[in-house]
């Protein structure tokens, strides 16, 4: 639950920094909350596996973007349509090496590019059953090192410029102990 709230708040920071209107920023932030909805179709034992995934297990995890898109694509309303696009593209990489469709650069929806930075930052700084949490500064360095590769360089720059706001979100939405 907190992951979803943090990703939405980080996405809001990035959208505002991109110069989107308040209404557009709000819609994208709400839509971002559904970025991983497709994980409900991934077997629980794979999602919560402590330790390294096999190639087959990782292939199954990657399908969550397609599952999410299929769950959302026929839903009515602008926010649900935004959510469908974000769910489908938030693991695409700026350099074209992401999944599932190997989209590159500006062929990736701008909202999905914002959510990608928000999602990865939160994943890095969060403890998971298969990894320890990184410090915020370690996560920052990793994201900055991936500008133009995994992430849109413009969004990465904005992430860096608004890093203090990301830290405030972490404080406001901590994981349960």
């Amino acid at each position: 639950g907190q992951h979803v709230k943090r990703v939405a708040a980080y996405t809001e920071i990035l959208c505002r920094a991109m110069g989107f209107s308040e209404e557009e920023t709000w819609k994208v932030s709400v839509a971002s909350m559904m970025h991983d909805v497709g994980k409900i179709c991934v077997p629980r034992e794979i999602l919560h596996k402590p330790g390294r995934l096999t190639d087959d297990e990782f292939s199954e995890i990657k399908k969550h973007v397609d599952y999410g898109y299929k769950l959302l694509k026929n839903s009515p309303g602008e926010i649900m349509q935004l959510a469908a696009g974000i769910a489908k593209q938030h693991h695409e990489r700026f350099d074209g090496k992401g999944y599932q469709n190997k989209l590159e650069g500006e062929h990736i929806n701008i909202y999905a590019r914002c959510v990608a930075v928000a999602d990865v930052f939160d994943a890095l700084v969060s403890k998971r059953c298969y990894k320890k949490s990184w410090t915020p500064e370690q996560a920052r360095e990793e994201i900055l090192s991936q500008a133009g590769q995994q992430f849109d360089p413009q969004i990465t720059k904005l992430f860096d410029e608004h890093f203090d706001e990301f830290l405030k979100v972490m404080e406001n939405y901590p994981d349960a102990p």
Side-chain angles (χ1 to χ4, degrees):
Q2 297 298 74
H3 168 68
V4 169
K5 290 177 186 174
R6 288 189 300 263
V7 168
Y10 299 144
T11 299
E12 181 178 345
I13 293 164
L14 293 172
C15 287
R16 192 171 286 122
M18 291 285 294
F20 299 155
S21 71
E22 282 302 308
E23 181 181 0
E24 184 178 16
T25 295
W26 176 79
K27 288 176 181 177
V28 175
S29 175
V30 171
S32 76
M33 293 181 187
M34 292 171 266
H35 71 280
D36 277 340
V37 70
K39 286 185 176 179
I40 65 173
C41 299
V42 175
R44 193 170 175 80
E45 60 273 10
I46 294 175
L47 278 179
H48 300 290
K49 180 180 177 182
R52 195 156 184 83
L53 297 173
T54 67
D55 289 345
D56 287 343
E57 290 167 336
F58 188 57
S59 290
E60 186 61 34
I61 288 275
K62 290 195 291 188
K63 292 177 185 176
H64 85 276
V65 298
D66 292 328
Y67 296 147
Y69 177 72
K70 287 174 186 170
L71 287 167
L72 297 168
K73 72 178 181 176
N74 294 319
S75 300
E78 185 181 358
I79 290 174
M80 296 305 278
Q81 291 307 301
L82 292 172
I86 290 167
K88 186 166 186 65
Q89 295 185 4
H90 73 282
H91 284 291
E92 298 290 351
R93 290 174 47 114
F94 201 76
D95 62 9
K97 296 178 182 174
Y99 62 88
Q100 292 285 57
N101 296 302
K102 307 283 188 214
L103 298 177
E104 184 176 343
E106 310 233 339
H107 294 286
I108 305 165
N109 178 290
I110 187 67
Y111 306 138
R113 285 184 267 154
C114 290
V115 173
V117 171
D119 185 37
V120 170
F121 176 76
D122 197 64
L124 292 174
V125 298
S126 299
K127 183 181 176 195
R128 298 285 189 257
C129 61
Y130 52 86
K131 72 164 203 67
K132 293 181 179 181
S133 61
W134 293 25
T135 68
E137 196 54 49
Q138 288 170 321
R140 180 187 201 177
E141 290 174 21
E142 176 64 17
I143 287 173
L144 294 178
S145 78
Q146 291 296 312
Q149 296 171 59
Q150 185 170 359
F151 305 113
D152 180 317
Q154 178 187 8
I155 295 169
T156 306
K157 182 177 185 284
L158 294 172
F159 160 79
D160 191 39
E161 291 172 1
H162 294 268
F163 187 69
D164 289 346
E165 294 173 58
F166 275 66
L167 296 177
K168 288 178 186 160
V169 169
M170 287 179 66
E171 290 174 25
N172 290 337
Y173 299 106
D175 284 324

